[in-house]
Amino acid sequence: MATFFGEVVVAPSRAGVDDEEWAEDAREETPEDREIRRELEKKRYGEIDVLWSLKSGASSESSAAQPFVCSQFIVAIGHNAAAFLSSFILDSVCWEVVGVVKLWNEWCRTSNTTNVLPTDSFCLFYRLISDPTVLLCQCSCYVAEDQQFQWLEKVFGCMQKEGLQVTILSTCPVADYKTQESTLTLPAPFLKALKTKEFKEQICCPLLEQPNIVRDLPAA
């Protein structure tokens, strides 16, 4: 049960599966199946690595002892948001690639190379050359639900939290937007915002109305 608006909850469902059928499926798992499942889980949890190249072009893992200063961190999650950054912000020589994320799950295979095609599912970090404290992240790869906490822990674990402002850009289908108006009259695309109580500046668009929610990695 959600205790307040905006809380991220996970509601497991076994709809259409009775207890006997579920128990029968559980009994059918062989030792080989369990071993394969354990190996897959181990690979999922062990294959999220953040590699930075902030010093002399040499890569270093996110477990660096000294967190670096970051004043603005803009994260674009999903293909549409990442494409927006590419078209309107990164289309200049003002940015340099300073980091990548290695990620493995059933829907995503990435590596630690930064030489990727625009069509590849990937996660890259850019730094503003004129102000190194401003970072962008293009996350067009899928981050599974059970990997989101680790993704956040490793990405934000190498940044100083004091004075850090984080902006998340994401998209969702218009069909998922809940409103009393007809969605046919809505402009496409349109922009809504959510903010924390710590954000005191003026927002550039109306706030997202209840009962609409944000899901997955943007919510995390």
Side-chain angles (χ1 to χ4, degrees):
M1 177 180 294
T3 57
F4 59 90
F5 177 67
E7 182 180 6
V8 180
V9 295
V10 178
S13 174
R14 285 167 48 195
V17 179
D18 57 30
D19 292 338
E20 293 182 2
E21 184 179 350
W22 180 81
E24 183 178 352
D25 292 340
R27 286 195 300 270
E28 290 178 354
E29 188 178 47
T30 65
E32 291 79 8
D33 293 335
R34 287 193 294 272
E35 181 64 24
I36 292 173
R37 178 167 53 81
R38 282 195 294 267
E39 289 299 321
L40 286 175
E41 290 176 352
K42 187 187 303 182
K43 189 173 182 62
R44 287 167 63 92
Y45 291 120
E47 283 294 323
I48 298 182
D49 289 314
V50 183
L51 306 175
W52 298 97
S53 57
L54 296 173
K55 295 181 179 180
S56 303
S59 297
S60 60
E61 294 194 6
S62 60
S63 56
Q66 190 68 25
F68 56 84
V69 177
C70 182
S71 61
Q72 297 276 344
F73 185 40
I74 302 174
V75 187
I77 300 175
H79 291 286
N80 291 333
F84 174 82
L85 283 189
S86 295
S87 300
F88 296 100
I89 298 180
L90 294 173
D91 189 20
S92 67
V93 295
C94 300
W95 302 87
E96 59 179 348
V97 176
V98 293
V100 298
V101 173
K102 286 172 44 177
L103 182 66
W104 188 97
N105 57 48
E106 291 83 350
W107 298 274
C108 179
R109 309 286 193 275
T110 63
S111 64
N112 58 357
T113 177
T114 57
N115 298 320
V116 295
L117 297 175
T119 55
D120 289 342
S121 294
F122 212 65
C123 184
L124 293 174
F125 296 93
Y126 296 84
R127 180 171 61 181
L128 185 61
I129 297 176
S130 60
D131 185 357
T133 67
V134 178
L135 293 180
L136 297 181
C137 174
Q138 278 186 308
C139 183
S140 56
C141 59
Y142 174 77
V143 182
E145 184 177 291
D146 58 345
Q147 296 177 315
Q148 292 170 7
F149 176 77
Q150 188 183 14
W151 192 95
L152 294 167
E153 189 178 46
K154 291 198 172 186
V155 170
F156 286 96
C158 52
M159 301 180 188
Q160 290 185 1
K161 308 300 188 300
E162 185 177 358
L164 173 61
Q165 179 175 308
V166 181
T167 303
I168 310 295
L169 304 176
S170 65
T171 59
C172 66
V174 175
D176 293 344
Y177 180 63
K178 298 175 178 62
T179 178
Q180 295 180 347
E181 304 176 17
S182 171
T183 55
L184 297 177
T185 63
L186 294 172
F190 63 95
L191 191 63
K192 297 287 182 176
L194 287 175
K195 68 181 185 70
T196 62
K197 61 182 179 181
E198 288 80 11
F199 186 80
K200 304 300 182 183
E201 301 178 20
Q202 184 177 359
I203 57 175
C204 61
C205 61
L207 291 174
L208 183 68
E209 310 91 339
Q210 298 187 37
N212 293 286
I213 60 175
V214 177
R215 298 180 175 88
D216 302 322
L217 188 59

